Amino acid sequence: MTKVGFIGLGRMGHGMAGRYLEAGFDVAVWNRSQAKAEDLIARGARWAGSPADAADGADAVVTMVADDEASRNVWLGKEGAAASMKAGSLVIECSTVSHQHVLDIARELRGRGLVYIDCPVTGLPQAAASGKLTLLVGAEPADLASAKPFLAPIGDVIRHFGAVGTGTVFKLINNLMGAVQIASLAEGVAMAEQAGLDMKLVAEALATGAVASPQVIRHSKRMVARDFSGASFTTALRYKDAAYAVRLAESLLAEPPLVGQAAVEAYAKAKAEMPDDDEGRMIELVSRPK
């Protein structure tokens, strides 16, 4: 049976790990809190005592952790996964991390004889649990071909942007644009409320007009109704991704990324007040009357 080590069982990782079980893989899981793994263990996963334990004997190790620091720790820290992986096995980094981190960690792990691809994902937790994620891949073509059997359970669309790091570049662009849209939407909804507009009509017009991106369609009604039920993205995670994206933009563009910087500032305020809450709650920060 093909062995997969899965590290990081948050809102997205939990469903992704479950997909490997459903696909018939031998799955070892590790997370900072074992409680998040209990139902996976009941379904047949093996609890690993460390990232190294999860990676021991694995044909591929998949990570879905919060940020650069967490990624470095689970790969290269004390009892990190890289220490026990066999040469030629596959590293699949699904976490959204910084571009420089991807380049650095890829160089380190390749030096240990491992095959590295960056594979951040887009989609909500429901898509993760049903194997319907879109996978944003940076990899050599031959490495991607080798990885496809391990990608099929978690995603139904693969977008291969080029060499290692390019998948992460696009993910950061995608999430920065999402931050800009949601932050500006919160301000627009707040303006409409304070001006006394018919908010049912506002929500309908936003969701069907020229600015109706998927983010606007999803969040406009939620903001108007102040209904943030259902799993979504937290303000802390969006802030982290936007900050990584602005750092990348500053390294690539001649002019400062002013719009991106404004979104980072908006999310910094949201993170300070409600780090683990749905990012749509940003409306509550900007809707106070003058």
Side-chain angles (χ1 to χ4, degrees):
M1 194 181 290
T2 305
K3 294 184 177 181
V4 170
F6 200 99
I7 298 171
L9 302 176
R11 296 183 183 185
M12 299 293 288
H14 185 278
M16 294 165 68
R19 287 292 304 157
Y20 285 108
L21 289 171
E22 292 165 13
F25 288 80
D26 181 349
V27 182
V29 296
W30 181 85
N31 190 66
R32 288 179 301 173
S33 167
Q34 185 175 346
K36 292 185 177 180
E38 293 299 341
D39 67 314
L40 295 170
I41 295 168
R43 291 163 59 188
R46 178 179 69 84
W47 172 252
S50 66
D53 185 16
D56 189 20
D59 300 290
V61 176
V62 184
T63 51
M64 192 62 169
V65 297
D67 53 25
D68 288 5
E69 182 181 5
S71 173
R72 176 163 290 280
N73 284 340
V74 299
W75 288 117
L76 300 175
K78 184 180 180 181
E79 297 187 289
S84 61
M85 292 181 72
K86 56 190 178 184
S89 54
L90 186 63
V91 170
I92 304 176
E93 180 75 84
C94 290
S95 319
T96 301
V97 291
S98 72
H99 180 244
Q100 189 60 52
H101 173 79
V102 166
L103 300 182
D104 291 345
I105 207 83
R107 181 174 59 252
E108 176 71 29
L109 296 182
R110 283 171 166 173
R112 301 183 183 212
L114 304 175
V115 177
Y116 182 98
I117 74 170
D118 61 308
C119 182
V121 306
T122 62
L124 293 171
Q126 303 94 294
S130 61
K132 301 296 183 183
L133 294 170
T134 294
L135 312 181
L136 312 174
V137 176
E140 296 302 318
D143 295 340
L144 175 56
S146 298
K148 281 187 174 179
F150 299 95
L151 303 182
I154 59 174
D156 59 352
V157 176
I158 295 175
R159 302 196 191 282
H160 182 205
F161 288 94
V164 165
T166 56
T168 293
V169 170
F170 184 81
K171 178 61 186 291
L172 295 178
I173 292 169
N174 185 81
N175 281 20
L176 178 61
M177 292 180 67
V180 169
Q181 291 171 12
I182 295 166
S184 63
L185 174 63
E187 292 182 354
V189 169
M191 290 166 63
E193 289 176 342
Q194 297 306 320
L197 274 61
D198 178 337
M199 294 310 296
K200 181 178 180 181
L201 180 58
V202 167
E204 178 185 340
L206 286 170
T208 58
V211 297
S213 70
Q215 293 282 22
V216 170
I217 292 169
R218 198 168 87 82
H219 284 286
S220 54
K221 293 180 180 179
R222 303 172 81 234
M223 287 185 182
V224 167
R226 301 297 197 272
D227 179 4
F228 307 113
S229 58
S232 188
F233 211 50
T234 68
T235 59
L237 287 175
R238 181 71 71 175
Y239 167 78
K240 178 262 300 184
D241 292 356
Y244 285 164
V246 165
R247 187 192 309 168
L248 176 60
E250 289 171 341
S251 74
L252 296 172
L253 304 179
E255 297 296 324
L258 299 179
V259 176
Q261 289 172 346
V264 169
E265 290 175 8
Y267 270 91
K269 294 177 182 178
K271 177 190 174 188
E273 293 201 27
M274 51 184 76
D276 299 322
D277 289 356
D278 187 292
E279 63 181 333
R281 285 193 63 200
M282 182 173 286
I283 180 64
E284 296 174 2
L285 299 180
V286 298
S287 62
R288 303 162 185 145
K290 186 173 180 181

